[in-house]
Amino acid sequence: MTPTDIRNPDYFHKVVDCQWACPAHTPVPEYIRLIAAGRYADAYMINWKSNVFPGILGRTCDRPCEPACRRGRVEKEPVAICRLKRVAADNKGDVRARMPHRPAARNGKRIACVGAGPASLTVARDLAPLGYEVVVFDSDRKAGGMIRSQIPRFRLPEEIIDEEVGYIADLGIELRLGKRIDSLAALLAEGWDAVFVGSGAPRGRDLDIPGRKEAAANIHIGIDWLANVAFGHVDRIGKRVIVLGGGNTAMDCCRSSRRLGGEDVKVVVRSGFEEMKASPWEKEDAMHEGIPILNYLVPKEFLHENGRLTGMVFEKVAAKYDEKGRRQLVPTGEPDVRLPCDDVLVAIGQENAFPWIERDIGIEFDRWGLPKVDPKTMRSTHPKVFFGGDAAFGPKNIIWAVAHGHEAAVSIDKLCSGEDISERPAPGVTLVSQKMGIHEWSYDNDVSHEERRRVPLRPLDVALKDIRTEVELGFDAKLAYEEAQRCLNCDVQTVFTGKLCIECDACVDICPMDCITFTHDGEEEELRKRLKAPAWNPTQDLYIGGDLKTGRIMVKDEDVCLHCGLCAERCPTGAWDMQKFFLEMTHAGAACRS
């Protein structure tokens, strides 16, 4: 096998699984160590540079980092990365002096952003300090997009949204709120240097079954209903509520219903519980509030009397799989299920809606009605029009919208500088030894055996009284420190120098995970099977070290390494070292240009 080239930033980046999995590639272990040290403002600013909305995401992120967390490979629960992010936001103090300043002069380039959601705000945050004149349009009277309109206040207080949107507004962008864009052609005719479309996926899917029209007064589209609740247009619902759908929007609908008068609230899903798209913790929170989730029921009919909704009829189905593993829902033949209700919330998915984009201006759409967008540059088939967030590839989540915004801002900056936008900037990388003595490191390498800390919740009798009362209380300093200690410091890398190795096997003997093997070379598939502990995860690369005097190779299974540093402590020649790898994505600005 070819010796590993650790100069390639992707190699060690993949070892930091949480950062690799984060769409914005936030340096997770670095900010967790800062939280453990009580340096909350520093931790917040690292987050702010990468993910733009630490306080918001610390409460609402879909947490792609956590399933990737290495801690989950050595025990059941990963580090509570998302909730630690909130700790930094809640305890940071006043960080306004650390934010970028408004530019002294404009650079003459004008950028329009359609929609004031997380993707557009990220573009504005990246470009405004560089001197761009950025104007953000939104039909709502307040900026934030789906962050403000679709996430209930019991999960995300409005003051957190105001604060973090305010940091971006203070950079000198112009917010034209209450301003709907009805024609992209007309907008382009105004001579903008680039247009970014971050208008989200604003249309909720409906359910066309018998009784839909007759009982329409009490059948609500989930995302529209949530927006009406958020802006104060709706403040009550019937006592018996059915929520259709298995995603996070459905969970927000059912939990909001409990707070607005719903006493008997049920979630009904056509799939199995494990197949629901809602995050596991969202389902757990709903059930904690006394909301049952009924599975394998397909909506068949809305029942009504004299124009008033009285209930729903469902067909019972079961999942059957063919020889290729494809699922099909088939009727069980059991009697239909009838559930009484006063209101139904339909949360079965969202769709993009672009009636305001003319089809003859150079923007191509696919057969699903989505614009054709380059996933690397975020540019459409029109050279000056970029998309991001849900508007680009359909509904995802806030952190993906942020990542799209960063990439689009890089593209717009390069476009306006006359550069090839397909040439993407390399990340900034440092690799620094953590050695302070023979057996002493500048990071805490003791592996904590504590279990994951649970976030304290407000008592149910208090939480359910007011839809604006935040349910999660967050970690205090003690809980935050204990949870931060569970991080395995995956960014502190084991770096091997073969020419210093005397092949004494001291590192092999002391490794608690048996992840180091000295052996003869071979093909990877065969080699993985004969390591001291076979390496079964092919998605994580093997670390191959050469230059050994015997001609053998050193093979390290990165998949289960605890980064405890015992190999480096035991090594008598210093062939092993613990070096902190810090990777920071390059955003719009001089560093992104050739």
Side-chain angles (χ1 to χ4, degrees):
M1 293 188 66
T2 304
T4 300
D5 181 8
I6 63 173
R7 295 171 300 177
N8 178 356
D10 277 358
Y11 178 75
F12 279 146
H13 189 186
K14 281 182 69 176
V15 175
V16 192
D17 298 271
C18 49
Q19 184 175 8
W20 181 261
C22 173
H25 300 307
T26 307
V28 175
E30 178 74 2
Y31 79 72
I32 288 180
R33 277 192 299 273
L34 291 170
I35 290 169
R39 294 170 56 185
Y40 303 118
D42 292 336
Y44 183 86
M45 293 310 298
I46 284 177
N47 271 282
W48 189 82
K49 184 167 185 180
S50 291
N51 59 50
V52 186
F53 306 103
I56 293 168
L57 285 166
R59 291 165 165 82
T60 64
C61 189
D62 275 4
R63 317 179 196 177
C65 53
E66 292 191 17
C69 175
R70 189 178 304 270
R71 187 86 195 195
R73 300 178 199 173
V74 295
E75 63 179 67
K76 183 179 178 182
E77 295 285 353
V79 176
I81 299 169
C82 180
R83 294 322 183 227
L84 287 172
K85 191 191 315 290
R86 173 180 170 173
V87 171
D90 287 354
N91 296 279
K92 66 186 181 305
D94 189 350
V95 294
R96 284 173 294 183
R98 301 179 65 165
M99 294 290 170
H101 300 294
R102 295 188 182 201
R106 300 289 188 188
N107 63 11
K109 303 295 184 180
R110 298 170 62 243
I111 313 301
C113 294
V114 181
S120 289
L121 291 174
T122 299
V123 171
R125 200 286 304 264
D126 286 0
L127 295 180
L130 304 178
Y132 287 88
E133 179 185 346
V134 183
V135 180
V136 180
F137 300 87
D138 200 287
S139 59
D140 286 337
R141 296 287 178 179
K142 288 187 174 183
M146 59 78 62
I147 292 174
R148 194 180 294 274
S149 65
Q150 293 177 35
I151 301 176
R153 297 295 165 264
F154 59 82
R155 290 180 56 207
L156 178 61
E158 191 156 24
E159 58 267 24
I160 304 299
I161 307 173
D162 291 340
E163 176 190 2
E164 297 197 325
V165 170
Y167 290 145
I168 299 170
D170 288 346
L171 297 174
I173 70 171
E174 181 182 349
L175 290 169
R176 296 187 189 176
L177 303 175
K179 171 66 176 175
R180 180 185 297 275
I181 300 299
D182 294 315
S183 167
L184 182 56
L187 186 66
L188 286 168
E190 296 176 8
W192 302 93
D193 294 285
V195 173
F196 177 80
V197 179
S199 54
R203 185 169 61 194
R205 289 182 182 150
D206 206 342
L207 187 61
D208 186 15
I209 58 175
R212 174 66 178 91
K213 292 180 181 178
E214 293 82 350
N218 293 93
I219 302 171
H220 319 279
I221 301 300
I223 61 170
D224 297 338
W225 184 82
L226 286 172
N228 284 323
V229 172
F231 291 116
H233 305 314
V234 169
D235 60 4
R236 64 175 62 88
I237 199 166
K239 291 184 178 181
R240 301 173 301 174
V241 181
I242 292 175
V243 178
L244 303 176
N248 287 339
T249 298
M251 299 302 103
D252 286 340
C253 284
C254 69
R255 297 180 68 197
S256 295
S257 297
R258 285 285 281 122
R259 290 159 170 79
L260 295 182
E263 296 175 1
D264 176 11
V265 180
K266 297 181 177 69
V267 175
V268 181
V269 189
R270 63 172 61 223
S271 66
F273 183 82
E274 297 300 328
E275 297 169 303
M276 290 172 62
K277 292 183 178 180
S279 304
W281 50 91
E282 299 286 359
K283 294 186 286 186
E284 181 182 320
D285 288 342
M287 292 185 293
H288 173 69
E289 294 177 359
I291 301 168
I293 297 175
L294 310 180
N295 299 96
Y296 291 122
L297 295 174
V298 175
K300 195 172 180 180
E301 182 183 1
F302 291 107
L303 301 175
H304 54 91
E305 292 180 7
N306 302 319
R308 185 177 66 86
L309 179 71
T310 60
M312 285 193 71
V313 178
F314 297 89
E315 182 179 43
K316 296 194 72 173
V317 296
K320 300 290 184 182
Y321 297 87
D322 62 19
E323 63 279 359
K324 293 184 179 180
R326 291 174 300 196
R327 189 198 69 171
Q328 193 175 22
L329 296 176
V330 297
T332 63
E334 298 174 74
D336 290 341
V337 175
R338 291 172 176 258
L339 298 176
C341 63
D342 303 307
D343 286 277
V344 171
L345 297 173
V346 182
I348 57 174
Q350 293 169 232
E351 298 174 331
N352 293 70
F354 299 107
W356 55 280
I357 298 182
E358 294 82 356
R359 296 308 193 257
D360 59 354
I361 60 174
I363 296 178
E364 297 179 20
F365 289 81
D366 62 23
R367 61 193 178 97
W368 296 283
L370 289 169
K372 292 184 178 180
V373 177
D374 185 326
K376 183 169 67 173
T377 66
M378 308 309 297
R379 182 155 69 176
S380 71
T381 51
H382 188 294
K384 287 188 176 183
V385 179
F386 300 80
F387 285 76
D390 294 352
F393 305 115
K396 281 197 173 181
N397 49 58
I398 300 170
I399 192 64
W400 274 106
V402 169
H404 294 166
H406 285 316
E407 293 298 336
V410 167
S411 296
I412 292 170
D413 189 35
K414 291 176 78 72
L415 173 71
C416 292
S417 302
E419 295 202 356
D420 181 358
I421 71 169
S422 66
E423 294 180 0
R424 310 310 288 178
V429 175
T430 57
L431 192 61
V432 179
S433 177
Q434 301 302 287
K435 186 170 288 188
M436 296 178 66
I438 297 176
H439 301 300
E440 197 171 9
W441 309 102
S442 62
Y443 75 104
D444 185 358
N445 68 324
D446 184 32
V447 177
S448 169
H449 296 287
E450 298 296 327
E451 295 183 350
R452 178 175 169 129
R453 288 337 194 216
R454 295 190 65 83
V455 177
L457 303 177
R458 212 175 291 276
L460 270 182
D461 59 340
V462 177
L464 296 179
K465 280 183 179 178
D466 185 353
I467 198 166
R468 294 185 176 272
T469 298
E470 188 172 15
V471 176
E472 291 192 3
L473 302 176
F475 289 140
D476 58 19
K478 180 176 181 293
L479 284 174
Y481 175 79
E482 291 170 350
E483 185 61 31
Q485 291 301 103
R486 298 181 67 243
C487 176
L488 294 174
N489 299 291
C490 297
D491 60 337
V492 182
Q493 307 286 352
T494 51
V495 176
F496 180 74
T497 305
K499 62 184 179 182
L500 297 179
C501 179
I502 58 174
E503 302 181 57
C504 65
D505 279 0
C507 55
V508 176
D509 293 340
I510 201 170
C511 177
M513 302 302 290
D514 290 332
C515 60
I516 300 172
T517 305
F518 288 84
T519 184
H520 59 273
D521 207 346
E523 295 295 329
E524 180 174 350
E525 185 177 354
E526 181 271 334
L527 181 64
R528 282 180 173 272
K529 297 175 183 176
R530 59 179 165 85
L531 302 181
K532 188 172 182 185
W536 299 121
N537 181 9
T539 63
Q540 188 80 270
D541 295 336
L542 296 174
Y543 186 2
I544 306 297
D547 291 333
L548 297 176
K549 296 177 177 60
T550 63
R552 296 190 301 169
I553 58 172
M554 183 286 301
V555 185
K556 176 171 173 284
D557 178 11
E558 298 280 23
D559 190 48
V560 293
C561 175
L562 299 178
H563 296 246
C564 61
L566 290 175
C567 54
E569 290 182 15
R570 177 62 67 91
C571 181
T573 64
W576 286 103
D577 191 19
M578 304 304 296
Q579 298 184 13
K580 186 170 76 171
F581 170 83
F582 185 77
L583 180 142
E584 191 170 51
M585 301 305 292
T586 300
H587 296 156
C592 86
R593 303 179 201 131
S594 301

